[in-house]
Amino acid sequence: MNAPSKSRADLAAGSASASFTLHGAGVSGGIAIGYARLVSTARLEVAHYDIGSEGIELELERFDDAINQVRGELDSLQAGIAAGAPAELGAFLSVHRMILDDPALSEVPRELVRARRCNAEWALVQQMDLLVAQFDEIEDAYLRERQNDVMQVVERVLKAMAGGANVPAPPSREENIIVVAHDLSPADMMMFKQHRFAGFVTDLGGVTSHTAIVARSLAIPAIVGLHHARSLLRENEPIIVDGVNGVLIVNPDERVLSEYRLRQDEIELAREKLKRLRRTPSRTLDGLSVELFANIELPQDVGEALASGADGIGLFRSEFLFLNRRDRPGEDEQFEAYRDVARTMDGKPVTIRTLDLGADKSITGAHEPGPNPALGLRAIRYCLAEPQMFLTQLRAILRASHFGKVHLLIPMIAHAHEIEQALKALAHARASLNADGIPYDKAMPVGGMVEVPAAALSLGTLIRNLDFVSIGTNDLIQYTLAIDRTDDSVAHLYDPTHPAVLQLITSTIRTANRAGKPVAVCGEMAGDLSLTRLLLGLGLRKFSMHPAQLLAIKQQVLRSALPELEATARRILRAPHPDRARALLEKLNA
Ligand code: PEP
Ligand code: MG
């Protein structure tokens, strides 16, 4: 991955419209051609200067104009909320409007400008620092969180004073917009799901970060780890996102543009052709059936899963129901979401993963993330620390099991006692439903995710209490190779074919097969075309991936013959050097 230099002049010989390229990691295939939409990050450092007594009125006017501009922007954002967007989006905007209208923000800085004859930006930031310090004192985590809202509103006003609009006029239709951000959280990505942007690029993030996973599920070209795209690009600048090769081309000339348009057409054509495979049974050349499931984040993703011809939902990341909102979804709301998916899948299995909160997916009022979030209170650890929240979810999932074929999946298990405690909580949920006379599937299978090496290595014992296993390779790779999935500075070390990773996957598949329990891979490896044959050769017969990738994987299955794959996969496992393993893998995919 090439880290570009920080100056545009270095890259483009000083010319604003000269073309240059940036390299990152492509996380979602395809090519997008459009215009840069810079998504703002906080920049609250401002200059401080004396305006003299004669400058006071003008400065106040500048400040008032900025406040009025932001008022207008918030109102138009509120009016433009797409139908079906989370109700919380409107609530966010109302809170920002209230903060803006509060005299503490719109009046006090004016008094400071008068008293100190200082510029309005500086006065505003002084007042913001004071307010934020007051929020810091508040015990209630929810209210303390509001300091972020204050900072975001101040940022908007500062931007308006700098002469910029926070809601730039769209350069063209939404389909031509490419979002350029320094970093986006999984929650930000969920908000973007309401739109139909052409692509995404970010400076930070690894290929298996949840942000990248959501970008992939949007099936639009995306690149992460570009380092300086946000600072180098200008609003509305024409760009090409090559999500296949992780290349961003800024200000392409006509020749490059027509080349990429051609490739775009080719990709589109290939996608259309793949649709013909929707109803084709997924079988290898020698007749072995391979199950292909879809991963979803929200109930509305289920349509795409069905359209891809998925055999079921292999992973419903239920925690996404909890993001971008101030409250937590109650039992009924969760039940309805799970039931709708179970019903829509019409008898096909729906694997609902219990909350995988913590790490990069945090919710309002949650535990403090801790010094090392990926190793902290996350997934099943989090649920066991929040028994009431866990019980609510378990009751909701059990209730939904009455309306389809629901499976329950416990994330990130490492200890036998975590499974035992989770099963106890489930027994408690069952007993409470029995007492309420509410029906549920008494035989609902319960599985565990193998995501930490400890689980893979001790699966022989853990599996006794499980009905099935799902390998979360994103985390398994993170924890085996000790690379934070969200940290792009170690993203180059992400290697699904590392011998340690392959050994853990192989032993997990073998242990599950020996125990006669189904095993799937639901991490990003399952949707990676270059690894399909290897996984088949290692004995995997169940894959779960984002629906956009499913038909391409099916095509690969249809073109594969098992005996050959098994022999080469064994040789890859025994390869004396990674280069040899890579060469064998290439041969396998040829
Ligand atoms: C994984 O870790 O591979 C997985 C499927 O779970 P998530 O990506 O949501 O952590
Ligand atoms: Mg995981």
Side-chain angles (χ1 to χ4, degrees), residues 23-55:
H23 297 257
V27 294
S28 181
I31 287 161
I33 301 176
Y35 298 90
R37 165 69 57 88
L38 305 187
V39 173
S40 190
T41 49
R43 277 210 198 89
L44 298 174
E45 281 169 30
V46 295
H48 177 203
Y49 52 91
D50 185 38
I51 52 168
S53 47
E54 68 288 355

PDB file of all heavy atoms in Angstrom, residues 23-55:
ATOM      1  N   HIS A  23      -3.328   5.182  -3.542  1.00  0.00           N
ATOM      2  CA  HIS A  23      -3.502   3.733  -3.406  1.00  0.00           C
ATOM      3  C   HIS A  23      -3.932   3.367  -1.998  1.00  0.00           C
ATOM      4  O   HIS A  23      -3.404   3.884  -1.031  1.00  0.00           O
ATOM      5  CB  HIS A  23      -2.193   3.008  -3.742  1.00  0.00           C
ATOM      6  CG  HIS A  23      -1.774   3.224  -5.157  1.00  0.00           C
ATOM      7  ND1 HIS A  23      -1.932   2.269  -6.125  1.00  0.00           N
ATOM      8  CD2 HIS A  23      -1.238   4.294  -5.764  1.00  0.00           C
ATOM      9  CE1 HIS A  23      -1.505   2.754  -7.280  1.00  0.00           C
ATOM     10  NE2 HIS A  23      -1.071   3.981  -7.079  1.00  0.00           N
ATOM     11  N   GLY A  24      -4.887   2.480  -1.904  1.00  0.00           N
ATOM     12  CA  GLY A  24      -5.337   1.987  -0.605  1.00  0.00           C
ATOM     13  C   GLY A  24      -5.706   0.528  -0.749  1.00  0.00           C
ATOM     14  O   GLY A  24      -5.197  -0.171  -1.619  1.00  0.00           O
ATOM     15  N   ALA A  25      -6.638   0.084   0.074  1.00  0.00           N
ATOM     16  CA  ALA A  25      -7.077  -1.309  -0.015  1.00  0.00           C
ATOM     17  C   ALA A  25      -8.513  -1.325  -0.528  1.00  0.00           C
ATOM     18  O   ALA A  25      -9.402  -0.730   0.091  1.00  0.00           O
ATOM     19  CB  ALA A  25      -7.000  -1.968   1.357  1.00  0.00           C
ATOM     20  N   GLY A  26      -8.715  -1.975  -1.654  1.00  0.00           N
ATOM     21  CA  GLY A  26     -10.080  -2.076  -2.203  1.00  0.00           C
ATOM     22  C   GLY A  26     -10.892  -3.007  -1.315  1.00  0.00           C
ATOM     23  O   GLY A  26     -10.445  -4.110  -1.018  1.00  0.00           O
ATOM     24  N   VAL A  27     -12.049  -2.551  -0.859  1.00  0.00           N
ATOM     25  CA  VAL A  27     -12.833  -3.434   0.002  1.00  0.00           C
ATOM     26  C   VAL A  27     -14.115  -3.892  -0.666  1.00  0.00           C
ATOM     27  O   VAL A  27     -14.793  -4.779  -0.185  1.00  0.00           O
ATOM     28  CB  VAL A  27     -13.199  -2.778   1.361  1.00  0.00           C
ATOM     29  CG1 VAL A  27     -11.967  -2.551   2.178  1.00  0.00           C
ATOM     30  CG2 VAL A  27     -13.989  -1.508   1.180  1.00  0.00           C
ATOM     31  N   SER A  28     -14.454  -3.259  -1.756  1.00  0.00           N
ATOM     32  CA  SER A  28     -15.680  -3.638  -2.421  1.00  0.00           C
ATOM     33  C   SER A  28     -15.491  -3.404  -3.904  1.00  0.00           C
ATOM     34  O   SER A  28     -15.169  -2.296  -4.328  1.00  0.00           O
ATOM     35  CB  SER A  28     -16.825  -2.796  -1.868  1.00  0.00           C
ATOM     36  OG  SER A  28     -18.023  -3.161  -2.471  1.00  0.00           O
ATOM     37  N   GLY A  29     -15.639  -4.476  -4.658  1.00  0.00           N
ATOM     38  CA  GLY A  29     -15.288  -4.443  -6.069  1.00  0.00           C
ATOM     39  C   GLY A  29     -16.122  -3.502  -6.905  1.00  0.00           C
ATOM     40  O   GLY A  29     -17.087  -2.899  -6.443  1.00  0.00           O
ATOM     41  N   GLY A  30     -15.737  -3.378  -8.134  1.00  0.00           N
ATOM     42  CA  GLY A  30     -16.455  -2.518  -9.053  1.00  0.00           C
ATOM     43  C   GLY A  30     -15.747  -1.191  -9.228  1.00  0.00           C
ATOM     44  O   GLY A  30     -14.743  -0.912  -8.571  1.00  0.00           O
ATOM     45  N   ILE A  31     -16.313  -0.398 -10.133  1.00  0.00           N
ATOM     46  CA  ILE A  31     -15.717   0.895 -10.442  1.00  0.00           C
ATOM     47  C   ILE A  31     -16.779   1.971 -10.315  1.00  0.00           C
ATOM     48  O   ILE A  31     -17.887   1.816 -10.835  1.00  0.00           O
ATOM     49  CB  ILE A  31     -15.129   0.864 -11.867  1.00  0.00           C
ATOM     50  CG1 ILE A  31     -13.853   0.004 -11.833  1.00  0.00           C
ATOM     51  CG2 ILE A  31     -14.835   2.264 -12.387  1.00  0.00           C
ATOM     52  CD1 ILE A  31     -13.427  -0.483 -13.167  1.00  0.00           C
ATOM     53  N   ALA A  32     -16.450   3.037  -9.589  1.00  0.00           N
ATOM     54  CA  ALA A  32     -17.385   4.155  -9.488  1.00  0.00           C
ATOM     55  C   ALA A  32     -16.738   5.375 -10.116  1.00  0.00           C
ATOM     56  O   ALA A  32     -15.550   5.628  -9.925  1.00  0.00           O
ATOM     57  CB  ALA A  32     -17.702   4.436  -8.023  1.00  0.00           C
ATOM     58  N   ILE A  33     -17.544   6.095 -10.893  1.00  0.00           N
ATOM     59  CA  ILE A  33     -17.050   7.342 -11.496  1.00  0.00           C
ATOM     60  C   ILE A  33     -17.977   8.437 -11.009  1.00  0.00           C
ATOM     61  O   ILE A  33     -19.198   8.343 -11.175  1.00  0.00           O
ATOM     62  CB  ILE A  33     -17.063   7.239 -13.041  1.00  0.00           C
ATOM     63  CG1 ILE A  33     -16.189   6.053 -13.486  1.00  0.00           C
ATOM     64  CG2 ILE A  33     -16.586   8.537 -13.673  1.00  0.00           C
ATOM     65  CD1 ILE A  33     -16.190   5.779 -14.976  1.00  0.00           C
ATOM     66  N   GLY A  34     -17.432   9.448 -10.364  1.00  0.00           N
ATOM     67  CA  GLY A  34     -18.320  10.488  -9.837  1.00  0.00           C
ATOM     68  C   GLY A  34     -17.549  11.672  -9.299  1.00  0.00           C
ATOM     69  O   GLY A  34     -16.428  11.951  -9.745  1.00  0.00           O
ATOM     70  N   TYR A  35     -18.162  12.351  -8.325  1.00  0.00           N
ATOM     71  CA  TYR A  35     -17.576  13.576  -7.775  1.00  0.00           C
ATOM     72  C   TYR A  35     -17.379  13.436  -6.273  1.00  0.00           C
ATOM     73  O   TYR A  35     -18.214  12.840  -5.595  1.00  0.00           O
ATOM     74  CB  TYR A  35     -18.503  14.766  -8.055  1.00  0.00           C
ATOM     75  CG  TYR A  35     -18.698  15.010  -9.525  1.00  0.00           C
ATOM     76  CD1 TYR A  35     -19.735  14.375 -10.216  1.00  0.00           C
ATOM     77  CD2 TYR A  35     -17.822  15.832 -10.220  1.00  0.00           C
ATOM     78  CE1 TYR A  35     -19.902  14.571 -11.577  1.00  0.00           C
ATOM     79  CE2 TYR A  35     -17.981  16.034 -11.586  1.00  0.00           C
ATOM     80  CZ  TYR A  35     -19.022  15.401 -12.255  1.00  0.00           C
ATOM     81  OH  TYR A  35     -19.174  15.584 -13.598  1.00  0.00           O
ATOM     82  N   ALA A  36     -16.291  14.016  -5.787  1.00  0.00           N
ATOM     83  CA  ALA A  36     -15.966  13.902  -4.362  1.00  0.00           C
ATOM     84  C   ALA A  36     -16.943  14.686  -3.503  1.00  0.00           C
ATOM     85  O   ALA A  36     -17.247  15.845  -3.792  1.00  0.00           O
ATOM     86  CB  ALA A  36     -14.553  14.417  -4.113  1.00  0.00           C
ATOM     87  N   ARG A  37     -17.473  14.055  -2.478  1.00  0.00           N
ATOM     88  CA  ARG A  37     -18.252  14.754  -1.452  1.00  0.00           C
ATOM     89  C   ARG A  37     -17.477  14.597  -0.151  1.00  0.00           C
ATOM     90  O   ARG A  37     -17.414  13.508   0.407  1.00  0.00           O
ATOM     91  CB  ARG A  37     -19.648  14.129  -1.330  1.00  0.00           C
ATOM     92  CG  ARG A  37     -20.420  14.526  -0.073  1.00  0.00           C
ATOM     93  CD  ARG A  37     -20.843  15.982  -0.064  1.00  0.00           C
ATOM     94  NE  ARG A  37     -21.644  16.351  -1.193  1.00  0.00           N
ATOM     95  CZ  ARG A  37     -22.975  16.250  -1.244  1.00  0.00           C
ATOM     96  NH1 ARG A  37     -23.636  15.797  -0.212  1.00  0.00           N
ATOM     97  NH2 ARG A  37     -23.625  16.614  -2.333  1.00  0.00           N
ATOM     98  N   LEU A  38     -16.827  15.681   0.276  1.00  0.00           N
ATOM     99  CA  LEU A  38     -15.990  15.597   1.460  1.00  0.00           C
ATOM    100  C   LEU A  38     -16.858  15.563   2.705  1.00  0.00           C
ATOM    101  O   LEU A  38     -17.698  16.438   2.910  1.00  0.00           O
ATOM    102  CB  LEU A  38     -15.037  16.792   1.533  1.00  0.00           C
ATOM    103  CG  LEU A  38     -14.152  17.019   0.290  1.00  0.00           C
ATOM    104  CD1 LEU A  38     -13.138  18.114   0.571  1.00  0.00           C
ATOM    105  CD2 LEU A  38     -13.431  15.745  -0.117  1.00  0.00           C
ATOM    106  N   VAL A  39     -16.676  14.538   3.512  1.00  0.00           N
ATOM    107  CA  VAL A  39     -17.436  14.451   4.754  1.00  0.00           C
ATOM    108  C   VAL A  39     -16.554  15.024   5.843  1.00  0.00           C
ATOM    109  O   VAL A  39     -15.390  14.664   5.987  1.00  0.00           O
ATOM    110  CB  VAL A  39     -17.823  12.980   5.048  1.00  0.00           C
ATOM    111  CG1 VAL A  39     -18.454  12.863   6.417  1.00  0.00           C
ATOM    112  CG2 VAL A  39     -18.784  12.494   3.983  1.00  0.00           C
ATOM    113  N   SER A  40     -17.135  15.941   6.597  1.00  0.00           N
ATOM    114  CA  SER A  40     -16.365  16.747   7.527  1.00  0.00           C
ATOM    115  C   SER A  40     -15.874  15.975   8.739  1.00  0.00           C
ATOM    116  O   SER A  40     -16.526  15.084   9.242  1.00  0.00           O
ATOM    117  CB  SER A  40     -17.247  17.895   7.979  1.00  0.00           C
ATOM    118  OG  SER A  40     -16.474  18.795   8.681  1.00  0.00           O
ATOM    119  N   THR A  41     -14.691  16.362   9.212  1.00  0.00           N
ATOM    120  CA  THR A  41     -14.220  15.868  10.509  1.00  0.00           C
ATOM    121  C   THR A  41     -13.962  17.104  11.371  1.00  0.00           C
ATOM    122  O   THR A  41     -13.785  18.190  10.857  1.00  0.00           O
ATOM    123  CB  THR A  41     -12.904  15.087  10.370  1.00  0.00           C
ATOM    124  OG1 THR A  41     -12.017  15.880   9.596  1.00  0.00           O
ATOM    125  CG2 THR A  41     -13.126  13.751   9.700  1.00  0.00           C
ATOM    126  N   ALA A  42     -13.944  16.905  12.684  1.00  0.00           N
ATOM    127  CA  ALA A  42     -13.832  18.062  13.581  1.00  0.00           C
ATOM    128  C   ALA A  42     -12.497  18.792  13.409  1.00  0.00           C
ATOM    129  O   ALA A  42     -11.442  18.191  13.420  1.00  0.00           O
ATOM    130  CB  ALA A  42     -13.977  17.587  15.013  1.00  0.00           C
ATOM    131  N   ARG A  43     -12.585  20.068  13.205  1.00  0.00           N
ATOM    132  CA  ARG A  43     -11.373  20.887  13.170  1.00  0.00           C
ATOM    133  C   ARG A  43     -11.656  22.114  13.997  1.00  0.00           C
ATOM    134  O   ARG A  43     -12.164  23.100  13.513  1.00  0.00           O
ATOM    135  CB  ARG A  43     -11.075  21.313  11.733  1.00  0.00           C
ATOM    136  CG  ARG A  43     -10.353  20.260  11.001  1.00  0.00           C
ATOM    137  CD  ARG A  43      -9.459  20.850   9.937  1.00  0.00           C
ATOM    138  NE  ARG A  43      -9.175  19.756   9.043  1.00  0.00           N
ATOM    139  CZ  ARG A  43      -9.937  19.467   7.997  1.00  0.00           C
ATOM    140  NH1 ARG A  43     -10.957  20.206   7.704  1.00  0.00           N
ATOM    141  NH2 ARG A  43      -9.651  18.451   7.253  1.00  0.00           N
ATOM    142  N   LEU A  44     -11.402  21.991  15.296  1.00  0.00           N
ATOM    143  CA  LEU A  44     -11.863  23.057  16.172  1.00  0.00           C
ATOM    144  C   LEU A  44     -10.746  23.983  16.642  1.00  0.00           C
ATOM    145  O   LEU A  44     -10.921  24.731  17.571  1.00  0.00           O
ATOM    146  CB  LEU A  44     -12.595  22.428  17.367  1.00  0.00           C
ATOM    147  CG  LEU A  44     -13.840  21.638  16.933  1.00  0.00           C
ATOM    148  CD1 LEU A  44     -14.458  20.899  18.099  1.00  0.00           C
ATOM    149  CD2 LEU A  44     -14.869  22.548  16.296  1.00  0.00           C
ATOM    150  N   GLU A  45      -9.598  23.915  15.991  1.00  0.00           N
ATOM    151  CA  GLU A  45      -8.542  24.849  16.370  1.00  0.00           C
ATOM    152  C   GLU A  45      -8.691  26.092  15.511  1.00  0.00           C
ATOM    153  O   GLU A  45      -8.714  26.028  14.296  1.00  0.00           O
ATOM    154  CB  GLU A  45      -7.180  24.215  16.135  1.00  0.00           C
ATOM    155  CG  GLU A  45      -6.824  23.262  17.253  1.00  0.00           C
ATOM    156  CD  GLU A  45      -5.636  22.427  16.931  1.00  0.00           C
ATOM    157  OE1 GLU A  45      -4.761  22.898  16.185  1.00  0.00           O
ATOM    158  OE2 GLU A  45      -5.597  21.294  17.425  1.00  0.00           O
ATOM    159  N   VAL A  46      -8.791  27.240  16.164  1.00  0.00           N
ATOM    160  CA  VAL A  46      -9.008  28.466  15.394  1.00  0.00           C
ATOM    161  C   VAL A  46      -7.984  29.518  15.810  1.00  0.00           C
ATOM    162  O   VAL A  46      -7.405  29.444  16.894  1.00  0.00           O
ATOM    163  CB  VAL A  46     -10.437  29.021  15.625  1.00  0.00           C
ATOM    164  CG1 VAL A  46     -11.478  28.066  15.104  1.00  0.00           C
ATOM    165  CG2 VAL A  46     -10.677  29.329  17.085  1.00  0.00           C
ATOM    166  N   ALA A  47      -7.809  30.489  14.943  1.00  0.00           N
ATOM    167  CA  ALA A  47      -6.874  31.578  15.258  1.00  0.00           C
ATOM    168  C   ALA A  47      -7.501  32.520  16.292  1.00  0.00           C
ATOM    169  O   ALA A  47      -8.720  32.531  16.471  1.00  0.00           O
ATOM    170  CB  ALA A  47      -6.575  32.340  13.976  1.00  0.00           C
ATOM    171  N   HIS A  48      -6.656  33.281  16.955  1.00  0.00           N
ATOM    172  CA  HIS A  48      -7.142  34.278  17.917  1.00  0.00           C
ATOM    173  C   HIS A  48      -6.518  35.614  17.529  1.00  0.00           C
ATOM    174  O   HIS A  48      -5.313  35.749  17.434  1.00  0.00           O
ATOM    175  CB  HIS A  48      -6.679  33.864  19.335  1.00  0.00           C
ATOM    176  CG  HIS A  48      -7.062  34.867  20.383  1.00  0.00           C
ATOM    177  ND1 HIS A  48      -6.407  34.968  21.580  1.00  0.00           N
ATOM    178  CD2 HIS A  48      -8.045  35.795  20.418  1.00  0.00           C
ATOM    179  CE1 HIS A  48      -6.960  35.913  22.314  1.00  0.00           C
ATOM    180  NE2 HIS A  48      -7.957  36.428  21.621  1.00  0.00           N
ATOM    181  N   TYR A  49      -7.363  36.615  17.246  1.00  0.00           N
ATOM    182  CA  TYR A  49      -6.805  37.932  16.927  1.00  0.00           C
ATOM    183  C   TYR A  49      -7.721  39.045  17.434  1.00  0.00           C
ATOM    184  O   TYR A  49      -8.908  38.840  17.695  1.00  0.00           O
ATOM    185  CB  TYR A  49      -6.530  38.071  15.424  1.00  0.00           C
ATOM    186  CG  TYR A  49      -7.695  37.723  14.525  1.00  0.00           C
ATOM    187  CD1 TYR A  49      -8.604  38.692  14.112  1.00  0.00           C
ATOM    188  CD2 TYR A  49      -7.870  36.413  14.073  1.00  0.00           C
ATOM    189  CE1 TYR A  49      -9.667  38.358  13.283  1.00  0.00           C
ATOM    190  CE2 TYR A  49      -8.924  36.078  13.239  1.00  0.00           C
ATOM    191  CZ  TYR A  49      -9.818  37.057  12.849  1.00  0.00           C
ATOM    192  OH  TYR A  49     -10.868  36.729  12.038  1.00  0.00           O
ATOM    193  N   ASP A  50      -7.094  40.219  17.557  1.00  0.00           N
ATOM    194  CA  ASP A  50      -7.790  41.391  18.082  1.00  0.00           C
ATOM    195  C   ASP A  50      -8.499  42.092  16.924  1.00  0.00           C
ATOM    196  O   ASP A  50      -7.892  42.318  15.870  1.00  0.00           O
ATOM    197  CB  ASP A  50      -6.746  42.314  18.724  1.00  0.00           C
ATOM    198  CG  ASP A  50      -7.406  43.490  19.399  1.00  0.00           C
ATOM    199  OD1 ASP A  50      -8.482  43.298  19.997  1.00  0.00           O
ATOM    200  OD2 ASP A  50      -6.861  44.604  19.310  1.00  0.00           O
ATOM    201  N   ILE A  51      -9.787  42.415  17.106  1.00  0.00           N
ATOM    202  CA  ILE A  51     -10.515  43.030  15.992  1.00  0.00           C
ATOM    203  C   ILE A  51     -10.671  44.548  16.189  1.00  0.00           C
ATOM    204  O   ILE A  51     -11.186  45.246  15.316  1.00  0.00           O
ATOM    205  CB  ILE A  51     -11.920  42.393  15.831  1.00  0.00           C
ATOM    206  CG1 ILE A  51     -12.669  42.422  17.167  1.00  0.00           C
ATOM    207  CG2 ILE A  51     -11.820  40.984  15.301  1.00  0.00           C
ATOM    208  CD1 ILE A  51     -14.133  42.097  17.043  1.00  0.00           C
ATOM    209  N   GLY A  52     -10.246  45.042  17.351  1.00  0.00           N
ATOM    210  CA  GLY A  52     -10.368  46.471  17.631  1.00  0.00           C
ATOM    211  C   GLY A  52     -11.821  46.850  17.865  1.00  0.00           C
ATOM    212  O   GLY A  52     -12.739  46.139  17.418  1.00  0.00           O
ATOM    213  N   SER A  53     -12.071  47.964  18.548  1.00  0.00           N
ATOM    214  CA  SER A  53     -13.465  48.309  18.883  1.00  0.00           C
ATOM    215  C   SER A  53     -14.272  48.611  17.626  1.00  0.00           C
ATOM    216  O   SER A  53     -15.474  48.359  17.552  1.00  0.00           O
ATOM    217  CB  SER A  53     -13.519  49.474  19.874  1.00  0.00           C
ATOM    218  OG  SER A  53     -12.665  50.478  19.428  1.00  0.00           O
ATOM    219  N   GLU A  54     -13.591  49.097  16.588  1.00  0.00           N
ATOM    220  CA  GLU A  54     -14.322  49.438  15.358  1.00  0.00           C
ATOM    221  C   GLU A  54     -14.791  48.183  14.601  1.00  0.00           C
ATOM    222  O   GLU A  54     -15.712  48.265  13.793  1.00  0.00           O
ATOM    223  CB  GLU A  54     -13.468  50.349  14.461  1.00  0.00           C
ATOM    224  CG  GLU A  54     -12.226  49.732  13.845  1.00  0.00           C
ATOM    225  CD  GLU A  54     -11.076  49.469  14.827  1.00  0.00           C
ATOM    226  OE1 GLU A  54     -11.172  49.853  16.015  1.00  0.00           O
ATOM    227  OE2 GLU A  54     -10.097  48.837  14.420  1.00  0.00           O
ATOM    228  N   GLY A  55     -14.188  47.032  14.913  1.00  0.00           N
ATOM    229  CA  GLY A  55     -14.558  45.809  14.167  1.00  0.00           C
ATOM    230  C   GLY A  55     -15.668  45.009  14.830  1.00  0.00           C
ATOM    231  O   GLY A  55     -16.117  43.989  14.278  1.00  0.00           O
TER     232      GLY A  55
END
